[in-house]
Amino acid sequence: MSYIIKGETGDWEVVVGLEVHCEVISKAKLFSGAAVTFGAEPNTQVDFFDAGFPGMLPVLNHECVEQAIKTGFGLNATINKMSIFARKNYYYADLPNGYQISQSDHPIVSDGHIDVTLENGETKRIGIERMHIEQDAGKLIHDQHPSKSFVDLNRAGVALMEIVSRPDIRSPEEAGAYLRELRSIVRYIGSCDGNMDEGSMRCDVNVSVRHPGEPYGTRAEIKNVNSIRFVMQAIEYESKRQVEVLEEGGRIVQETRKFDSVKGITKTMRSKETAIDYRYFYDPDLIPLRLDDELIERLRKEMPELPAAKRERFIRDFGVTPYDAEQLVAEKDTAAYFERAAKGHDAKKVANYILGDLFAALNKLGKPITESPVSAENLGKMVDLIVDGTISTRIAKDVFQFMIDEGKDPETIVAEKGLKQVTDTGAIEKIVDEVLAANPDKVAEYKSGKDKLLGWFVGQTMRASKGKANPAMLNDLVKKKLSL
Ligand code: MN
């Protein structure tokens, strides 16, 4: 589905590229042995090197390199056997060294892509230009003192992977799908926890507009947007703003903007004229990073099944729709739960219950699927009871709720609460007769042509059976008895 902005000078399309910073899961920082636990007391996880003490040298943490290589596989990208660390020079109070060690023209990963599934079921391929590793900066804290700012260097030197997409994204929806897929991939691999609200995944959004077929327009970069929803809102606002400027005869200046999530708008931070020259140069304290084939092959073998492969397998082996498969694999734990619940049972029904009733119930309880009161095995059994006619879909709603509340298996609940479906024709007939006998006026109305009353009779009879009558049989019998 294309995302088009209608203007007075014709249709406009939006062109988006995303730069995502992912904090690497590791025991220590990229170039020092300091720990990296999130939420620790300020300045308790700082080595002399992280604090910029003179004479301290960086020592590369290979765990971070391995995480980057695995992530490169996840991005279907080329792992470069030689990459080079470079200094990106700028001064800021949360950067004690006065430079960030990053990678410039020789990144560790280049030329990849990920495929995302859109709401209409279509697949879109989004190119990845590169991924490099670099240090994170510390944090300034401005709200602890009326006139002073504090600095916390716990985050200084933590490894980041910066993943740069090609400008292949054409709508807020595609940007959202790309970020969800990316988050899913790094979580499956275990290279980043993907928590945008904790800042372990942060997104810079490059936005420009053009008439379809024209060359790319000038772009604005929206810095550090910290939720997928905000990224989508920022693109929507910024693209409309640019169209307005252009249609009024103005021009877009290349600039850095920030997103105001309260107002839902973007604002100028700095223009290109004041942009910093980072004076990149290769870091003389670090030799080029060379990877041997053995390491690359070992890591390739250690790769888990990734969301894309799992999605395909769920569609192929379990017959679920692409859209359901997308929802089921987004989180590793959901995928594992589905597989356990679906094995040997009606997988499509199992998928429906997970994505519908189970998600809603867990949401209400505020629990992750790993703590679900309904086990995967019990959900599978409940679906069996529906398939073999022991309970109706309607009664299943109640059975499911009892399973959530009491944690018991469905057979026990059906037996204890007497929820077995009535499929005995004689028993249902008796109830239908009673309902008709109690409402002679309605029967007369129906017979004089008021067909709509059929639904009313079905409802009354179902209620009289306490919801336990087999719906199809009940329907047939009501119809038959009314036409006598
Ligand atoms: Mn960066």
Side-chain angles (χ1 to χ4, degrees):
M1 246 186 309
S2 57
Y3 177 81
I4 291 290
I5 300 166
K6 297 268 174 212
E8 278 161 27
T9 59
D11 288 351
W12 294 88
E13 78 177 349
V14 57
V15 176
V16 176
L18 298 177
E19 297 172 19
V20 180
H21 283 89
C22 294
E23 216 153 68
V24 175
I25 294 176
S26 62
K27 289 184 200 72
K29 293 184 180 178
L30 183 54
F31 295 113
S32 86
V36 296
T37 317
F38 180 80
E41 280 291 297
N43 297 309
T44 54
Q45 308 193 119
V46 189
D47 189 281
F48 288 122
F49 176 76
D50 310 318
F53 274 52
M56 294 296 120
L57 291 173
V59 179
L60 180 60
N61 178 353
H62 282 271
E63 187 190 12
C64 300
V65 174
E66 294 192 6
Q67 293 284 43
I69 296 170
K70 288 200 248 180
T71 306
F73 287 138
L75 304 175
N76 306 295
T78 306
I79 311 298
N80 296 316
K81 286 206 223 162
M82 199 272 296
S83 60
I84 302 178
F85 289 102
R87 290 187 184 178
K88 181 178 179 178
N89 298 280
Y90 67 97
Y91 177 75
Y92 203 67
D94 62 9
L95 189 78
N97 279 301
Y99 59 85
Q100 173 194 32
I101 304 178
S102 180
Q103 296 183 313
S104 53
D105 49 2
H106 286 86
I108 186 167
V109 167
S110 49
D111 286 321
H113 67 262
I114 58 178
D115 293 329
V116 301
T117 313
L118 303 174
E119 246 169 76
N120 62 4
E122 270 174 37
T123 301
K124 162 114 186 195
R125 174 159 295 185
I126 293 160
I128 310 272
E129 193 180 300
R130 56 181 280 152
M131 186 193 91
H132 62 259
I133 37 183
E134 62 184 22
Q135 300 172 293
D136 205 346
K139 245 184 207 162
L140 292 182
I141 303 159
H142 303 290
D143 57 3
Q144 308 272 311
H145 191 278
S147 59
K148 288 177 182 157
S149 286
F150 294 99
V151 64
D152 175 8
L153 294 180
N154 280 354
R155 207 179 63 182
V158 170
L160 294 173
M161 303 180 284
E162 182 176 334
I163 301 165
V164 182
S165 87
R166 295 193 189 281
D168 293 345
I169 296 164
R170 290 288 176 278
S171 68
E173 189 205 348
E174 288 179 17
Y178 171 82
L179 288 170
R180 279 196 303 275
E181 182 71 10
L182 199 60
R183 185 175 61 184
S184 202
I185 290 169
V186 294
R187 282 180 174 169
Y188 268 66
I189 292 171
S191 59
C192 170
D193 67 27
N195 293 334
M196 290 186 87
D197 50 352
E198 289 179 358
S200 40
M201 201 171 136
R202 313 192 281 270
C203 187
D204 298 340
V205 190
N206 288 295
V207 180
S208 64
V209 296
R210 64 174 177 184
H211 291 300
E214 281 182 358
Y216 291 138
T218 306
R219 65 191 161 92
E221 182 180 14
I222 309 155
K223 278 279 179 200
N224 267 329
V225 188
N226 65 359
S227 90
I228 294 178
R229 193 164 53 89
F230 292 162
V231 168
M232 295 169 70
Q233 283 175 4
I235 294 169
E236 207 173 321
Y237 176 85
E238 179 61 18
S239 55
K240 282 186 187 138
R241 184 191 71 85
Q242 292 185 10
V243 167
E244 267 171 40
V245 169
L246 292 169
E247 295 219 316
E248 281 164 13
R251 86 193 163 85
I252 302 300
V253 284
Q254 193 171 333
E255 62 177 355
T256 307
R257 299 177 70 85
K258 68 175 178 196
F259 181 65
D260 179 333
S261 61
V262 178
K263 294 187 186 138
I265 62 170
T266 65
K267 288 190 262 189
T268 302
M269 267 171 84
R270 55 173 186 258
S271 73
K272 187 140 195 238
E273 287 80 69
T274 55
I276 315 160
D277 174 6
Y278 293 114
R279 295 174 297 114
Y280 276 101
F281 62 86
Y282 295 153
D283 192 310
D285 291 337
L286 289 157
I287 55 169
L289 172 60
R290 289 180 195 280
L291 308 171
D292 56 42
D293 293 325
E294 218 174 301
L295 171 73
I296 295 175
E297 284 321 304
R298 172 171 68 78
L299 294 174
R300 198 194 299 277
K301 284 196 194 100
E302 284 176 15
M303 287 294 289
E305 182 183 38
L306 292 179
K310 212 181 267 288
R311 215 161 30 227
E312 263 173 50
R313 188 165 59 80
F314 281 7
I315 295 168
R316 190 184 61 229
D317 294 357
F318 292 110
V320 298
T321 64
Y323 185 74
D324 284 357
E326 171 87 16
Q327 314 290 308
L328 291 167
V329 307
E331 302 286 343
K332 222 182 190 171
D333 292 335
T334 308
Y337 182 100
F338 168 73
E339 264 193 273
R340 279 206 311 280
K343 214 164 209 170
H345 308 283
D346 184 325
K348 274 190 184 173
K349 279 203 171 64
V350 167
N352 285 339
Y353 273 100
I354 292 176
L355 300 176
D357 297 29
L358 182 65
F359 273 9
L362 292 174
N363 221 345
K364 227 188 226 167
L365 295 171
K367 281 189 176 174
I369 198 159
T370 45
E371 290 168 29
S372 168
V374 176
S375 69
E377 290 69 24
N378 281 344
L379 182 64
K381 280 189 210 161
M382 188 193 84
V383 165
D384 282 352
L385 295 181
I386 301 169
V387 173
D388 70 17
T390 308
I391 54 175
S392 65
T393 333
R394 219 207 121 276
I395 287 289
K397 289 253 170 216
D398 298 340
V399 173
F400 184 81
Q401 192 54 50
F402 283 124
M403 287 165 77
I404 288 282
D405 296 341
E406 301 175 12
K408 292 178 188 160
D409 69 89
E411 285 110 333
T412 307
I413 284 166
V414 169
E416 277 181 10
K417 319 266 176 198
L419 292 171
K420 206 163 178 297
Q421 174 166 237
V422 179
T423 51
D424 169 6
T425 317
I428 300 175
E429 242 181 316
K430 197 171 154 258
I431 302 168
V432 176
D433 287 340
E434 281 165 15
V435 169
L436 298 196
N439 298 283
D441 45 335
K442 288 261 182 355
V443 174
E445 274 182 62
Y446 177 86
K447 290 195 169 165
S448 68
K450 211 170 169 192
D451 290 352
K452 278 186 190 153
L453 276 172
L454 179 67
W456 183 84
F457 279 111
V458 170
Q460 291 298 308
T461 320
M462 186 54 96
R463 194 166 306 157
S465 84
K466 299 199 175 71
K468 289 187 286 186
N470 174 289
M473 292 173 69
L474 181 138
N475 232 339
D476 286 350
L477 283 168
V478 170
K479 240 186 251 175
K480 204 173 97 192
K481 296 260 170 186
L482 279 170
S483 60
L484 284 178

